[in-house]
Amino acid sequence: MTAEPYRLTLADDTTWGLSAPSSVQPWLEALARIMELPALGSSIPTHHLRFVERSSAGLAAVSRGEGWKRLALGTAMRVWWRDGGEEALVEVDPGLLEHPEIRVIAMWTALRPIQFDAIAAGGGPFHATLAAHKGRGVLIAAPAGMGKSTCYRRLPPPWEPLCDDY
């Protein structure tokens, strides 16, 4: 049984539906809380990130399918994706998710297919804020604690603040 999925919409309107079976759902709910993800509701996602138990027999077919790539991360999880594909699978060992550090590392790692897809579409990872000035996007990038958010909040018109820490 799969519980209510969550929605992650990127700036290019790519919408990921994140779903999990009931055995993995508490972990997905924690991830959704941290990321402030809304329920998928009636939205129709363009992409799917499905979390399944590590013991799931259905992944044998994926491993033999065309173009699937695998990122093995110890015994806690395996991530399956295809370049340009609209679906990714993450095998999770629910027992290992009880460890606080593994829980967080698994959350971060589970999002790799979304990162891979965004990079393939021309995107890139930045620790930055984003603003617009005269119709052009401007990233304010710097290490943590250097004042990006403060600068972002103090941008005067005609600057248009777009996002902070997304």
Side-chain angles (χ1 to χ4, degrees):
M1 164 124 191
T2 300
E4 177 71 27
Y6 293 93
R7 180 181 78 234
L8 172 63
T9 302
L10 304 180
D12 67 354
D13 289 327
T14 299
T15 301
W16 286 82
L18 283 68
S19 62
S22 57
S23 60
V24 181
Q25 188 66 21
W27 174 80
L28 178 56
E29 288 171 358
L31 173 64
R33 260 191 320 278
I34 290 168
M35 294 183 65
E36 299 179 5
L37 299 179
L40 182 62
S42 62
S43 299
I44 299 173
T46 58
H47 293 65
H48 298 276
L49 182 57
R50 301 181 200 283
F51 299 94
V52 297
E53 280 193 56
R54 179 92 183 220
S55 61
S56 177
L59 291 179
V62 169
S63 66
R64 291 189 302 269
E66 277 295 310
W68 285 94
K69 296 178 181 181
R70 184 182 96 174
L71 176 63
L73 302 160
T75 58
M77 64 186 342
R78 286 189 295 214
V79 178
W80 299 87
W81 80 97
R82 287 189 284 204
D83 289 336
E86 296 174 354
E87 182 174 28
L89 298 168
V90 179
E91 289 180 272
V92 178
D93 182 337
L96 289 175
L97 295 179
E98 299 303 317
H99 188 281
E101 289 176 3
I102 292 176
R103 267 177 84 82
V104 173
I105 292 169
M107 289 175 184
W108 163 43
T109 306
L111 300 174
R112 295 293 296 271
I114 297 172
Q115 178 188 13
F116 296 152
D117 188 69
I119 290 170
F126 290 96
H127 184 93
T129 63
L130 175 64
H133 186 259
K134 297 183 180 178
R136 299 186 80 175
V138 178
L139 287 174
I140 303 169
M146 298 303 291
K148 292 178 301 297
S149 295
T150 301
C151 180
Y152 172 84
R153 287 190 300 271
R154 294 180 178 173
L155 288 172
W159 286 85
E160 181 186 352
L162 298 176
C163 69
D164 182 29
D165 277 337
Y166 281 94

